[in-house]
Amino acid sequence: MHTKFLLPHRARIWGWMLALPALLLMFFNLQTGFTFSFLDYAAREVQHIDFDNGLLYTIQFNNFTDELGSILLITGLLLVAFSKEKDEDERITQVRLESLLWATLVNALLIIGCIILFYNQLFLKIMAYNICSTLIFFIVRFNLVLYRERRKTNKADL
């Protein structure tokens, strides 16, 4: 079966090599405030440009560790989630679609619960984790369902 938008199977390896260190980086950044000093940005003698009410063009100081970690994490998870299996067929495509639907629904329900239960800084921290939770739910469920089906198939062959 030919699928249009899936990446080659070897992209999964690159995805894990990006995602796992980035996941650790983001965890430490969000929990302890860990940053890389070489990613510090400090504007010098910049005149105030009021294009966006002080949000975009008036950055005076920022550390880009969280931005770099987020980009690497999302890129890695996308590579893992949307790379082909070695034996891609119609059933795997169906499991992939069902897993993506399931992950989206679970994530939406969790967001609704968080909106109801959490406020202020805790809510913002939860939303920071939520940036990649749909992809993580998808990867976990997809691989779990494939594992169970392959195990059933192997038992039936014996």
Side-chain angles (χ1 to χ4, degrees), residues 35-80:
T35 59
F36 291 118
S37 60
F38 67 89
L39 292 174
D40 284 344
Y41 168 78
R44 293 187 187 105
E45 299 180 26
V46 175
Q47 293 190 358
H48 181 75
I49 303 171
D50 196 13
F51 284 108
D52 198 24
N53 296 328
L55 295 177
L56 183 60
Y57 295 102
T58 59
I59 296 173
Q60 297 299 313
F61 176 80
N62 191 31
N63 183 284
F64 290 101
T65 301
D66 53 345
E67 285 86 354
L68 178 66
S70 296
I71 290 169
L72 291 175
L73 180 59
I74 291 169
T75 302
L77 290 174
L78 284 170
L79 289 172
V80 171

Side-chain angles (χ1 to χ4, degrees), residues 77-95:
L77 290 174
L78 284 170
L79 289 172
V80 171
F82 299 117
S83 60
K84 291 180 185 177
E85 292 294 310
K86 285 183 183 176
D87 54 347
E88 191 78 28
D89 61 6
E90 290 83 10
R91 180 63 189 141
I92 290 177
T93 302
Q94 183 66 28
V95 170

